[in-house]
Amino acid sequence: MADNVIVRARPGEHSERLIRRFIKRVKRDGVLERYRERCSYHIKPSVKRKIKQKKARRELLRLERKRNKRK
């Protein structure tokens, strides 16, 4: 995982689009989640469960995309 998120402007790209790509990249890299994990003292069990389910779902989708790409 990257510590710093870098997004370079593409030729002719508007600043709004660049900001959207940056936000997507930050979410995908899990920067905010890691920050929240370090700064919070207690995470409710229901929130932990949701995070775990979301992570598992994302991993399954990634593996499924890899399988479909090979075909």
Side-chain angles (χ1 to χ4, degrees):
M1 283 192 222
D3 290 330
N4 297 324
V5 177
I6 299 172
V7 179
R8 293 193 183 3
R10 295 176 181 155
E13 184 177 30
H14 292 288
S15 58
E16 294 95 19
R17 182 72 179 146
L18 182 66
I19 292 169
R20 283 189 201 136
R21 281 196 309 122
F22 174 77
I23 291 171
K24 279 185 181 179
R25 189 81 178 263
V26 166
K27 286 181 182 177
R28 187 180 66 199
D29 288 348
V31 174
L32 290 176
E33 287 80 12
R34 284 185 290 157
Y35 172 75
R36 288 184 182 131
E37 285 173 7
R38 281 190 313 222
C39 293
S40 65
Y41 296 104
H42 178 73
I43 300 174
K44 296 190 316 185
S46 62
V47 175
K48 283 183 183 179
R49 193 168 39 252
K50 285 181 185 178
I51 291 171
K52 189 175 179 180
Q53 288 172 349
K54 187 176 179 182
K55 191 174 183 179
R57 194 175 307 123
R58 193 169 53 234
E59 183 67 20
L60 281 174
L61 289 173
R62 188 180 70 80
L63 291 173
E64 190 175 312
R65 278 194 306 264
K66 272 189 172 181
R67 283 190 211 123
N68 289 338
K69 199 174 190 181
R70 290 180 188 168
K71 290 180 181 181

